[in-house]
Amino acid sequence: MAEPVSQNAPEDDPDRSEEDKPRLSRSEERGGSRRRRAKPAKKRSFWKELPILLVIALVLTILIQTFLAKVFMIPSGSMEATLHGCPGCHGDRILVDRVTYDFTEPSPGDVIVFKGPPAWINNEIAPQESGNIVVRAIQGLGSLVGFAPPDERDFVKRVIAVGGQTVQCCDPQGRMIVDGKSLDEPYIHWEDPSVQEQKTFEPVKVPAGMVWVQGDNRNNSDDSRFQGGGGVNGAVPVDNIIGKARIIVLPPSRWGGISDHNPQESAQPVALGAPAWQSGIPLGAGIAAAWPALFLGRKLKSGLRRKR
């Protein structure tokens, strides 16, 4: 006697004969075939994805330049020839490291970008903004990504001395002095090589938490020597520093790192000299005394001869 087949037995039981398996209709067979042959979802075209990619790239650029590094344009020639920005030159674009000074203090020789303190900007003429909101937006975006001039209240200079050090100019050879030592400054640019002189000023002790900065184009730079009337007012608070200039990124012909030569590393104690007229006294005295000495020598020699 044949045993009844359980209703719960699987349809694909291998022990079941083809006759015992339920047959599918043609429509069900075609549906299954379509499911097996289903194609992957169609990708969006490049032109539809392009705007999304641009927005993502812009957001990443803003985040990177806000927290890690930012591109700045050099609008003036005060840092010639380390950084080009003179009339007729293509203003250098430099990459500024915004992280370094979160962990270390600025050092002599660092080229820094900073916001001008009140003593620096009180006499500056505020930049004129366009009345067109679209133009202002484009200018702001261009400044943000480094392809338009930055805020005119941002400056780039080289650190000469830091808080607690005393700076002055100059020694008898015309070199800057910090803490009684003459600086080694190979980066100085002289527009007129025949006039290699710097403006002299009395000793200034840099307050704690501030730095003394000057341009490499030493005779064409509005810096700590002049801003705010000079003296302590010319120093820049460390808190105003945006970052350290690392690399020239544009134009391509000037790609490369930016020198951070420490002028104090090879500084030499100042050999204090006297005015020129005082320096000539020993020579004049020697010449004046030579004639009497020669005369007396001859007299003595002739006297000895007579005695013989």
Side-chain angles (χ1 to χ4, degrees), residues 285-301:
I287 293 174
W291 292 106
L294 180 61
F295 177 77
L296 291 175
R298 287 177 176 175
K299 286 288 186 182
L300 180 61
K301 187 176 180 180

Side-chain angles (χ1 to χ4, degrees), residues 58-304:
L58 181 60
V59 171
L60 290 175
T61 299
I62 293 173
L63 291 175
I64 289 171
Q65 297 215 64
T66 301
F67 300 105
L68 298 179
K70 184 175 180 179
V71 176
F72 278 82
M73 178 180 176
I74 306 302
S76 72
S78 66
M79 283 298 292
E80 293 283 343
T82 304
L83 302 174
H84 281 347
C86 62
C89 296
H90 297 290
D92 286 350
R93 268 72 168 181
I94 58 174
L95 186 66
V96 175
D97 173 4
R98 304 186 70 134
V99 179
T100 294
Y101 296 135
D102 290 338
F103 305 98
T104 62
E105 294 295 322
S107 301
D110 289 357
V111 177
I112 61 172
V113 173
F114 58 94
K115 292 189 177 296
W120 285 54
I121 62 177
N122 284 341
N123 296 326
E124 295 286 330
I125 299 175
Q128 298 297 318
E129 294 185 350
S130 172
N132 189 315
I133 188 171
V134 176
V135 173
R136 288 206 308 271
I138 294 174
Q139 289 176 340
L141 181 61
S143 176
L144 181 64
V145 298
F147 289 96
D151 188 331
E152 292 185 14
R153 294 177 177 86
D154 293 343
F155 299 84
V156 56
K157 306 289 180 188
R158 190 182 295 271
V159 177
I160 302 300
V162 297
Q165 294 187 317
T166 300
V167 58
Q168 69 182 97
C169 188
C170 298
D171 71 1
Q173 286 74 44
R175 297 172 297 184
M176 292 290 301
I177 303 171
V178 173
D179 289 343
K181 293 184 178 181
S182 301
L183 300 187
D184 171 37
E185 298 188 276
Y187 43 73
I188 291 182
H189 173 71
W190 305 105
E191 291 188 337
D192 184 355
S194 64
V195 183
Q196 298 188 11
E197 298 178 359
Q198 303 186 59
K199 180 177 176 60
T200 61
F201 60 90
E202 295 300 314
V204 177
K205 185 171 183 178
V206 183
M210 307 187 85
V211 292
W212 184 273
V213 296
Q214 294 180 202
D216 289 356
N217 190 356
R218 196 53 54 85
N219 291 336
N220 187 24
S221 174
D222 254 351
D223 46 42
S224 294
R225 298 170 295 173
F226 310 106
Q227 294 284 2
V232 175
N233 289 337
V236 175
V238 172
D239 292 341
N240 282 41
I241 298 177
I242 296 171
K244 180 178 179 179
R246 293 283 190 183
I247 303 171
I248 299 173
V249 295
L250 286 175
S253 61
R254 285 180 50 77
W255 282 349
I258 297 171
S259 165
D260 57 358
H261 174 82
N262 185 343
Q264 298 185 22
E265 190 171 0
S266 301
Q268 300 293 326
V270 177
L272 297 177
W277 67 271
Q278 294 180 7
S279 300
I281 290 177
L283 177 61
I287 293 174
W291 292 106
L294 180 61
F295 177 77
L296 291 175
R298 287 177 176 175
K299 286 288 186 182
L300 180 61
K301 187 176 180 180
S302 62
L304 292 173

Side-chain angles (χ1 to χ4, degrees), residues 10-17 21:
E11 294 179 358
D12 56 349
D13 188 346
D15 295 332
R16 296 179 64 186
S17 63
K21 290 180 180 180

